[in-house]
Amino acid sequence: MPQPYHPVDTQHVLALLRQWLKAAAPPEGVDWLDTMRDALNDGAPDGVFFSGFAQVPKRVGTGMLRLRPDDRAEAERARPGWRPTLWTADQAARTALLLVYDDSDAVAYSDMLNHILRSGDRAQAAALYRALPLLPYPERHLHWAQEALRADDRALFEAAALFNPYPADHFDEAGWNRMILKAAFLGVPLAGVVGLERRANVVLAHELRDFARQRRESGRRVPIDMWQAAGDKVGNHVVDELAAELDGPDVDMAMAAALALAHSRDPRAAEALSKRPELADAIRRGQLTWERLSCGSPGLRAVG
């Protein structure tokens, strides 16, 4: 039986979750969660766990966590890439229960998670997807993590894909590329995907080019942040594709193309960008960035 591998200091994460819940949930809800944790630590049967897991929203509510900048920094220190920005109180409480469940048996722990995915509602599934980067035996959860990204449920897709380091840490190249393309298809902001630059690859850059062509041919807009996922892997015909956008009628897409070319290692990308010196200069000065472009910061259209 494999020994549990914990990607985090579980006790530290539990303390953080409880601290955040105290600001987002009623006191009696936090007390109830403490009682549940004690019962599970004392060996309560699975029936108690599953019953408690289902009761969580009624006990602690479903309001957003009220995270301060210090809290977000603490989350990053606890698990690099973990950003519980969109977490709700019920998701935090359910994650706490998942972290106190007996993990001494890898098969039994996986069976517990699969039971929730089969029998629980979509809110319970979303909590599991948000908790992915914190759970023991991370390699055993790959199959159902990828299922969330193949599903048509946007809420579940975002729970697994956004502000979540698990995909970047565990997906193979093909799985990562499928996730990015689906995010582009759904219009999910790629700024929320952890590990974009680290997981950029040449195959993805070409797949994004093909996706952009298909969108244009069907008369649909190409997401302006899509090329951020190509990182420094823009080259060959992809450079030509982006160079053509620099003088196109879509100002936002021209700025996105400029950013993608600026990050490329291909010498031809720099040559193409040199034909729009005002965009190149805005990028050098930090006036034009992916973040500012995605947020539509005032003044950017004048740059374009």
Side-chain angles (χ1 to χ4, degrees), residues 16-203:
L16 290 177
L17 293 171
R18 187 178 189 279
Q19 173 185 319
W20 300 338
L21 280 166
K22 287 175 66 177
E28 58 271 22
V30 178
D31 291 342
W32 172 85
L33 183 61
D34 288 342
T35 301
M36 278 293 304
R37 287 177 52 183
D38 290 343
L40 293 171
N41 282 325
D42 289 340
D46 278 0
V48 173
F49 171 83
F50 290 121
S51 175
F53 201 82
Q55 293 178 48
V56 163
K58 295 180 180 179
R59 299 287 189 166
V60 304
T62 58
M64 298 295 296
L65 295 183
R66 304 167 188 170
L67 300 184
R68 303 165 301 172
D70 287 351
D71 296 324
R72 292 191 287 271
E74 191 64 37
E76 176 67 28
R77 285 192 290 270
R79 171 61 161 97
W82 178 36
R83 307 178 208 165
T85 309
L86 302 179
W87 282 41
T88 55
D90 58 306
Q91 291 170 349
R94 281 174 164 154
T95 298
L97 294 180
L98 293 171
L99 292 177
V100 297
Y101 187 90
D102 180 9
D103 60 15
S104 59
D105 185 315
V107 174
Y109 195 86
S110 294
D111 287 345
M112 174 271 291
L113 296 174
N114 287 323
H115 177 81
I116 293 173
L117 289 170
R118 289 194 311 269
S119 306
D121 58 25
R122 65 197 293 267
Q124 294 183 38
L128 260 63
Y129 295 134
R130 294 235 190 263
L132 266 170
L134 310 174
L135 300 181
Y137 306 108
E139 71 287 345
R140 297 183 66 90
H141 315 321
L142 189 58
H143 64 289
W144 56 263
Q146 292 176 328
E147 285 178 7
L149 301 176
R150 287 193 292 266
D152 293 328
D153 191 316
R154 178 168 175 144
L156 294 184
F157 178 87
E158 291 186 354
L162 294 184
F163 306 109
N164 188 337
Y166 185 90
D169 288 350
H170 296 284
F171 282 13
D172 63 13
E173 184 174 285
W176 175 262
N177 293 355
R178 282 194 299 270
M179 184 186 80
I180 296 299
L181 288 168
K182 183 157 188 177
F185 176 80
L186 294 174
V188 172
L190 290 181
V193 176
V194 177
L196 275 182
E197 293 186 5
R198 173 162 61 92
R199 293 302 308 268
N201 59 85
V202 173
V203 172

Side-chain angles (χ1 to χ4, degrees), residues 231-249:
D232 62 0
K233 300 301 186 290
V234 168
N236 298 322
H237 297 302
V238 183
V239 171
D240 300 331
E241 189 88 9
L242 290 166
E245 295 284 2
L246 287 176
D247 293 315

Side-chain angles (χ1 to χ4, degrees), residues 216 220-224 244-257 276 279 293 301 304:
R216 283 194 294 270
R220 301 177 67 188
R221 183 173 174 79
V222 177
I224 60 171
E245 295 284 2
L246 287 176
D247 293 315
D250 189 324
V251 174
D252 290 337
M253 187 51 64
M255 291 189 289
R276 291 296 304 270
L279 292 178
L293 182 60
R301 294 188 66 83

